[in-house]
């Protein structure tokens, strides 16, 4: 039995008992039953709205599941990324130098050939980075061509 049905039962019971609305007790009981009737209809409206919201949430959840399948389908297949394969194939001969971009703060690792070019665009932000590489020989002195 719903709340609306129970309030309707109380309303019918009060009418069947022929409660007088002229007495103090009759007035208060009639007012309580009217308030209960209003509350019951409000609850009914809220339950209906909640049901509609629940249906909308279910539709959004289904759409999100479909979107996740599209976005993450490559990750779920168990395949290696082509980028991962490229990283494994790339071997570095010589030393690596760590450079931090002053614009975005990304750390970039460069080999001597990249530094010899003198400049490059930061892969993170596109800022033009210029390099001045001071190489010291084994005696700790600068070489003539790089002073």
């Amino acid at each position: 039995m719903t709340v609306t049905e129970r309030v309707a039962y109380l309303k019918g019971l009060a009418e069947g008992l022929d409660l007088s609305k002229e007495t103090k007790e009759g007035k208060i009981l009639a007012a309580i039953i009217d308030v209960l009737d209003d509350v019951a209809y409000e609850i009914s409206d809220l339950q209906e709205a909640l049901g509609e919201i629940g249906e909308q949430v279910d539709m959004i959840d289904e759409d999100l599941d479909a979107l996740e399948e599209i976005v993450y389908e490559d990750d779920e297949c168990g395949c290696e990324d082509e980028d991962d394969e490229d990283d494994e194939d790339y071997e570095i001969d010589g030393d690596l130098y760590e450079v931090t971009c002053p614009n975005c703060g990304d750390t970039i690792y460069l080999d001597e050939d990249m530094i010899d070019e003198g400049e490059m665009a930061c892969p993170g932000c596109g800022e033009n980075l210029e390099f001045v590489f001071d190489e010291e020989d084994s005696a700790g002195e600068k070489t003539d061509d790089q002073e």
Side-chain angles (χ1 to χ4, degrees):
M1 191 184 250
T2 66
V3 176
T4 308
E5 292 170 339
R6 292 170 68 191
V7 172
Y9 172 76
L10 287 176
K11 195 181 256 187
L13 187 61
E15 289 175 7
L17 292 175
D18 199 25
L19 292 176
S20 172
K21 295 184 180 179
E22 303 299 322
T23 65
K24 293 178 186 177
E25 295 84 11
K27 288 180 183 178
I28 191 77
L29 285 175
I32 289 172
I33 291 172
D34 286 342
V35 169
L36 286 175
D37 193 38
D38 291 342
V39 169
Y41 282 114
E42 288 292 323
I43 290 173
S44 176
D45 290 345
L46 289 173
Q47 287 174 336
E48 185 178 320
L50 182 62
E52 291 173 9
I53 290 172
E55 290 174 9
Q56 290 176 348
V57 168
D58 289 342
M59 289 186 333
I60 291 170
D61 187 44
E62 290 172 9
D63 291 345
L64 182 60
D65 287 343
L67 184 61
E68 285 176 344
E69 285 181 25
I70 292 169
V71 171
Y72 297 116
E73 73 182 345
D74 292 336
D75 292 341
E76 293 175 2
C77 74
C79 303
E80 284 190 38
D81 260 353
E82 291 177 17
D83 293 338
D84 292 343
E85 292 173 10
D86 291 342
D87 290 345
E88 291 172 6
D89 292 339
Y90 185 69
E91 293 182 21
I92 299 173
D93 296 328
D95 295 327
L96 279 182
Y97 299 93
E98 184 177 299
V99 177
T100 302
C101 176
N103 189 42
C104 68
D106 280 354
T107 300
I108 307 163
Y109 296 95
L110 308 171
D111 61 13
E112 288 183 32
D113 293 336
M114 297 168 84
I115 292 176
D116 287 342
E117 289 178 17
E119 66 181 10
M120 72 174 279
C122 173
C125 66
E127 179 76 17
N128 189 36
L129 303 174
E130 295 181 9
F131 309 112
V132 177
F133 184 66
D134 293 331
E135 188 175 326
E136 295 183 6
D137 64 8
S138 61
E141 300 175 6
K142 291 184 180 177
T143 58
D144 295 338
D145 60 333
Q146 294 185 355
E147 284 186 5

